């Protein structure tokens, strides 16, 4: 029997566990360890609450967690409660699937003013992440800005623009729903350093903006190259640009009080305000020969008392694990960090791709592990038994998959009408449900 520790229970952790199960055909015990008592990583804390169909992927992960040879060990933070070196002593291989939960910084003056919030924080706030339950984003001003041109930026702008009724059937947390309902924000500017052809927004997410109850998307046709230039784009990107061109051609609906303004070729230079964010000073850009943004020297101001930055994420370093500072992820070669130590998902690749991208990633690393530790072999490492003894000696109380089901049942039972669940937003609430 082989013993594997998969650290992180997001998509990458679950796909890797599934792949290891297949590769080792019943000759492996796999522990999926997570710092929280609730699994699924960004499926719970990242994916937008009004995109419920995407969250259904967790059913597949449930099957893995319920299957023979796999255990979920929650409420254990690797790097704090147990070190990676200790896990390597206890297990045949350790796979780090801890994602990339930290916001990347803009690196401009004024970024630390109150009112400037990273998207991981903002998304965590409306999704019930315990670290951000008390974020209290300023929603009292009329102008907000989102910096970034990817789908997460779109998620943030859409959530800021929706009415209470539009959240029906979502699992947005109560504190965010109430605060957004009272929000005074009427204009949300989405800033991107380059142009429409360079966006990383997908057609489905862009298309939704045409159907918002209270907001109209505003796009300036002058930002676009001639329509023939779209022919060179790959089909998905071409579709996104076609949707943006449709927005150019559609006048703002006067019956809708909110505006979502796409400001392309706009590079934030600094954030200004009297003790809090009030405006972004932006430089107009153009594309250079290599397609990078080049400042033109022309500057202007975008008013915003809430500024959400959505320009990427990084993985936090863990003691004793090789780290790629520039890439903000573990230093790895095709998923291998060192002897019997691997990385998968965002901790391996950085924050790119969809949920599904993590599947081939996990399978590739599982194949690599199977090549190094031939299935059928065994070791005398203690695996979960040793881990539990170690945690016990440190007064760390792990939770298991049945505990998660209890939490899930309670959340579902607490759900408001029309919501799939009322998420607990504090670690104490999860543990309280378990009588801890
Ligand atoms: C805001 C947002 C919205 C998104 N929306 C979509 C979408 O609509 N569709 C789509 O396809 N993709 C979406 N994605 C991308 C998708 O969520 C990622 O591809 C995927 O979650 C990455 O998986 P992961 O397992 O690498 O990381 P994560 O999902 O982040 O999982 C990491 C896990 O590791 C745990 N962990 C972290 N540190 C430790 C530690 N020290 N010890 C123990 N456990 C630890 C965490 O608690 C977490 O459970 C979105 C991403 C974001 C940020």
């Amino acid at each position: 029997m082989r013993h594997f520790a998969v650290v992180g229970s997001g998509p990458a952790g679950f796909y890797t566990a599934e792949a290891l199960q297949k590769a080792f055909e019943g000759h492996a015990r796999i522990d999926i360890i997570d710092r929280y008592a609730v699994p699924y990583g960004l499926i719970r804390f990242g994916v937008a609450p009004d995109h419920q169909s995407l969250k259904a992927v967790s059913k597949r992960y449930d099957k893995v967690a319920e299957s023979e040879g796999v255990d979920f060990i929650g409420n254990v933070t690797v790097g704090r409660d147990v070190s990676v070196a200790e896990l390597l002593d206890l297990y045949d291989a350790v796979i780090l699937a801890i994602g990339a939960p930290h916001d990347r910084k803009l690196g401009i003056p004024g970024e630390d003013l109150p009112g400037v919030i990273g998207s991981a924080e903002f998304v965590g706030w409306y999704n019930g992440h315990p670290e951000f339950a008390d974020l209290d984003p300023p929603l009292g001003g009329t102008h907000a800005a989102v910096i970034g041109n990817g789908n997460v930026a779109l998620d943030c702008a859409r959530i800021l623009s929706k009415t209470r009724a539009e959240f029906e059937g979502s699992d947005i947390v109560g504190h965010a729903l109430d605060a957004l309902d009272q929000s005074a924000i009427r204009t949300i500017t989405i800033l991107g350093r380059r142009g429409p052809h360079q966006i990383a927004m997908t057609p489905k997410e862009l298309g939704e903006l045409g159907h918002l109850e209270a907001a109209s998307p505003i796009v300036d046709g002058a930002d676009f190259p001639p329509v023939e230039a779209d022919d060179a784009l790959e089909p998905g990107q071409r579709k996104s640009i076609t949707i943006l061109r449709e927005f150019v051609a559609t006048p703002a609906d006067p019956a809708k009080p909110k505006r979502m303004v796409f400001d392309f070729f706009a590079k934030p230079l600094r954030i200004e305000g009297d003790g809090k964010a009030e405006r972004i000073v932006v430089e107009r850009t153009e594309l250079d020969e290599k397609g990078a943004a080049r400042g033109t020297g022309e500057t202007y101001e975008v008013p915003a008392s809430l500024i959400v930055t959505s320009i990427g994420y990084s993985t936090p370093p863990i003691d004793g694990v090789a780290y790629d500072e520039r890439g903000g992820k573990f230093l790895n070669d095709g998923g291998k960090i060192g002897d019997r130590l691997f990385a998968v998902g965002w901790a391996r690749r950085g924050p790119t791709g969809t949920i599904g991208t993590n599947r081939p990633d996990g399978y590739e690393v599982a194949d690599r592990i199977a090549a190094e530790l031939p299935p059928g072999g065994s070791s005398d490492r203690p695996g979960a038994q040793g881990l539990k003894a170690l945690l016990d000696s440190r007064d760390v109380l792990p939770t298991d998959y049945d505990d998660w089901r209890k939490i899930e049942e309670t959340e579902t039972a607490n759900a408001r009408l029309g919501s799939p669940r009322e998420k607990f937003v504090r670690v104490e609430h999860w543990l309280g449900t378990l009588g801890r």
Side-chain angles (χ1 to χ4, degrees):
M1 186 65 75
R2 296 287 188 185
H3 297 274
F4 298 115
V6 175
V7 183
S9 68
F14 268 103
Y15 288 126
T16 306
E18 182 187 277
L20 285 169
Q21 259 187 322
K22 288 190 180 152
F24 285 81
E25 295 174 337
H27 296 285
R29 290 211 59 86
I30 302 151
D31 291 332
I32 304 178
I33 302 167
D34 204 284
R35 62 178 166 155
Y36 293 133
V38 299
Y40 313 137
L42 287 171
I43 302 297
R44 178 182 172 107
F45 293 124
V47 172
D50 56 342
H51 284 170
Q52 284 299 308
S53 58
L54 282 170
K55 299 196 177 216
V57 70
S58 66
K59 299 268 174 295
R60 176 175 179 156
Y61 307 152
D62 283 335
K63 285 213 177 78
V64 176
E66 283 163 0
S67 61
E68 192 61 33
V70 177
D71 279 318
F72 173 69
I73 301 180
N75 204 32
V76 175
T77 299
V78 171
R80 185 192 68 186
D81 300 328
V82 56
S83 70
V84 169
E86 286 167 333
L87 287 179
L88 283 166
D89 276 345
L90 298 168
Y91 290 88
D92 291 287
V94 175
I95 302 98
L96 300 177
I98 67 166
H102 290 181
D103 281 300
R104 279 196 179 263
K105 304 286 266 180
L106 285 166
I108 61 172
E111 186 169 14
D112 296 324
L113 283 171
V116 186
I117 292 173
S119 61
E121 300 171 282
F122 184 64
V123 167
W125 171 72
Y126 64 64
N127 265 324
H129 193 295
E131 275 176 36
F132 308 116
D134 299 318
L135 185 71
D136 198 16
L139 301 170
T142 50
H143 286 68
V146 180
I147 299 175
N149 264 184
N151 276 340
V152 176
L154 269 191
D155 279 351
C156 295
R158 190 182 67 253
I159 295 290
L160 282 169
S161 77
K162 277 200 163 181
T163 64
R164 190 174 194 100
E166 285 176 292
F167 284 112
E168 185 144 338
S170 79
D171 66 348
I172 189 165
V173 291
H175 65 220
L177 183 63
D178 292 341
L180 289 166
D181 197 27
Q182 299 298 314
S183 162
I185 291 169
R186 292 293 172 269
T187 304
I188 303 146
T189 306
I190 303 174
L191 294 157
R193 285 196 304 176
R194 297 189 291 163
H197 271 204
Q198 287 76 37
I199 56 168
M201 298 166 169
T202 46
K204 183 184 160 292
E205 281 68 23
L206 274 171
E208 282 179 68
L209 305 186
H211 308 285
L212 294 171
E213 211 172 275
S216 303
I218 311 284
V219 182
D220 184 350
D223 288 333
F224 288 73
V227 74
E228 302 79 58
D230 296 1
D231 294 345
L233 299 171
E234 62 85 22
Q237 190 73 347
R238 200 180 317 135
K239 220 168 164 185
S240 291
I241 307 310
T242 304
I243 293 169
L244 283 176
R245 288 191 189 273
E246 283 165 15
F247 293 159
V248 173
T250 315
D253 183 342
K256 298 184 179 179
K258 300 185 190 177
R259 300 278 176 273
M260 195 183 287
V261 181
F262 285 79
D263 192 354
F264 292 111
F265 300 108
K267 179 184 167 194
L269 291 181
R270 59 185 178 276
I271 294 167
E272 294 180 342
D274 189 7
K276 59 182 175 19
E278 290 173 5
R279 71 194 83 83
I280 311 171
V281 178
V282 175
E283 181 178 19
R284 187 57 75 214
T285 65
E286 58 190 12
L287 294 181
D288 69 12
E289 314 67 47
K290 290 184 179 152
R294 171 172 62 200
T296 62
E298 177 197 342
T299 61
Y300 59 101
E301 292 178 358
V302 173
S305 47
L306 168 65
I307 299 167
V308 181
T309 62
S310 179
I311 55 159
Y313 299 102
S314 63
T315 301
I318 293 188
D319 261 359
V321 182
Y323 189 74
D324 167 5
E325 288 286 347
R326 217 161 155 257
K329 57 190 171 138
F330 294 123
L331 195 61
N332 71 89
D333 175 11
K336 183 161 174 134
I337 302 175
D339 184 33
R340 298 183 295 110
L341 181 61
F342 300 85
V344 290
W346 279 16
R348 167 190 173 183
R349 310 188 311 271
T352 56
T354 63
I355 296 165
T357 316
N358 300 294
R359 187 173 181 275
D361 181 317
Y363 272 73
E364 189 189 328
V365 169
D367 281 349
R368 194 158 181 180
I369 295 171
E372 289 187 17
L373 300 169
S378 69
S379 73
D380 49 12
R381 294 184 196 272
Q385 229 182 0
L387 175 62
K388 285 184 180 151
L390 187 67
L391 294 172
D392 198 38
S393 73
R394 292 174 183 169
D395 292 329
V396 178
L397 285 177
T399 60
D400 62 18
Y401 184 73
D402 288 341
D403 291 331
W404 152 239
R405 294 318 291 250
K406 271 183 223 146
I407 295 169
E408 190 185 34
E409 275 163 27
T410 316
E411 287 187 334
T412 309
N414 290 349
R416 284 155 290 131
L417 202 64
S419 300
R421 60 173 53 199
E422 178 67 49
K423 282 183 202 156
F424 289 122
V425 297
R426 302 207 184 265
V427 172
E428 306 86 86
H429 293 159
W430 300 331
L431 300 181
T433 305
L434 307 174
R436 301 256 180 97

